[in-house]
Amino acid sequence: MSVSKMEEGKVFVVSGPSGSGKGTVIGILQEIYTGMEVAVSATTRAPREGEAEGVNYFYKTKAEFEELIKNDEVLEYTIYNGNYYGTLKSEAERITEKGKDLVLEIEVNGCGQMKRKLGSRCVAIMLTAPDSKELERRLRGRGTETEDEIQRRLRRALDEVKEVTKYDYLLINENGKADKCAEDLLAVITAERLKADRAEEYLRENYPEI
Ligand code: 5GP
């Protein structure tokens, strides 16, 4: 990806532990705001029921993923519960070239990598459940993972929430209020787009006499 492209816009990183309801909230956001697109990541984890290639993820073997890393085709990547997950440069480019806001739905390590790369152009948003009990209840309710997997995800979820102090925004997804949370997320995106850090470019283009 050309760095200049990435420099033009903001990159919204949305992190949220399993059970935060992040997927639902982002789904609602996509319905109410079409100026953004979520990059489809690559992963070595197996597809869950109902997931599709190129929609939820690009599913790769370990060897294929390691080839992507070697060829510098990922913007960031991490190992999560024993599987690789990473943002493809090609996906980020496809979205930013359309002039849309790039949204990355990635975990905390990936967020740190993007922050280091992009500085203030990376807006980091943590989305979580109201409390740890509710997080566990939601995690169990999904019913797609084994007990072992649930325990690992729960531990990892708590570790992730702990990292919230490194984020720019904290959104709480209250029970039954995913709509409200999506509105909050849109408010963040809107406010970030209106920031005066674009002022110099704006003046140059629109007030050339100054
Ligand atoms: P899941 O297996 O539940 O789909 O995803 C597990 C975790 O990996 C989630 O926290 C999700 O946000 C994160 N994730 C998904 N894609 C990427 C990616 O491209 N990079 C990073 N760093 N994390 C990702």
Side-chain angles (χ1 to χ4, degrees):
M1 126 149 329
S2 67
V3 176
S4 60
K5 265 278 168 218
M6 293 284 293
E7 281 174 355
E8 279 169 22
K10 302 226 166 184
V11 174
F12 296 92
V13 168
V14 183
S15 297
S18 304
S20 62
K22 177 185 49 173
T24 308
V25 170
I26 289 181
I28 297 169
L29 179 67
Q30 281 173 312
E31 281 170 24
I32 60 177
Y33 176 61
T34 53
M36 55 154 267
E37 213 170 302
V38 185
V40 177
S41 296
T43 185
T44 57
R45 99 152 152 65
R48 291 195 190 114
E49 211 180 305
E51 288 187 350
E53 166 74 14
V55 178
N56 304 89
Y57 285 104
F58 295 104
Y59 299 94
K60 306 283 177 195
T61 62
K62 190 162 174 271
E64 284 170 343
F65 202 103
E66 286 171 351
E67 195 64 18
L68 288 172
I69 298 170
K70 206 175 91 194
N71 295 336
D72 197 25
E73 290 177 60
V74 287
L75 276 176
E76 60 72 38
Y77 72 94
T78 196
I79 296 176
Y80 183 98
N81 283 346
N83 286 303
Y84 280 117
Y85 291 82
T87 305
L88 294 167
K89 286 188 178 175
S90 55
E91 260 293 287
E93 203 162 44
R94 183 182 66 74
I95 294 166
T96 50
E97 272 175 359
K98 282 198 239 173
K100 292 199 172 191
D101 288 330
L102 175 62
V103 177
L104 306 181
E105 199 187 316
I106 63 180
E107 50 66 70
V108 292
N109 287 332
C111 178
Q113 291 174 50
M114 293 308 293
K115 273 250 168 233
R116 280 192 292 280
K117 248 183 210 182
L118 300 177
S120 62
R121 279 189 304 279
C122 171
V123 181
I125 303 156
M126 168 78 78
L127 201 154
T128 188
D131 57 50
S132 54
K133 287 282 160 280
E134 176 57 21
L135 193 66
E136 179 169 359
R137 197 187 65 77
R138 290 186 194 170
L139 248 172
R140 291 190 178 282
R142 191 154 70 181
T144 47
E145 284 98 15
T146 61
E147 178 62 26
D148 197 43
E149 174 81 4
I150 286 171
Q151 287 303 330
R152 272 191 295 146
R153 280 182 177 258
L154 193 56
R155 188 61 257 161
R156 175 86 185 214
L158 298 178
D159 287 345
E160 284 195 52
V161 176
K162 204 166 72 186
E163 298 292 312
V164 66
T165 51
K166 296 180 186 155
Y167 278 69
D168 301 306
Y169 295 91
L170 165 64
L171 303 186
I172 311 290
N173 185 18
E174 303 282 353
N175 284 347
K177 295 199 178 143
D179 283 348
K180 162 76 171 59
C181 196
E183 280 167 24
D184 288 347
L185 185 49
L186 181 54
V188 167
I189 293 176
T190 306
E192 285 292 334
R193 294 201 94 176
L194 297 175
K195 275 230 166 120
D197 57 8
R198 69 194 207 290
E200 274 184 30
E201 190 188 339
Y202 171 75
L203 287 179
R204 225 178 12 252
E205 282 175 12
N206 300 288
Y207 291 79
E209 305 80 2
I210 293 177

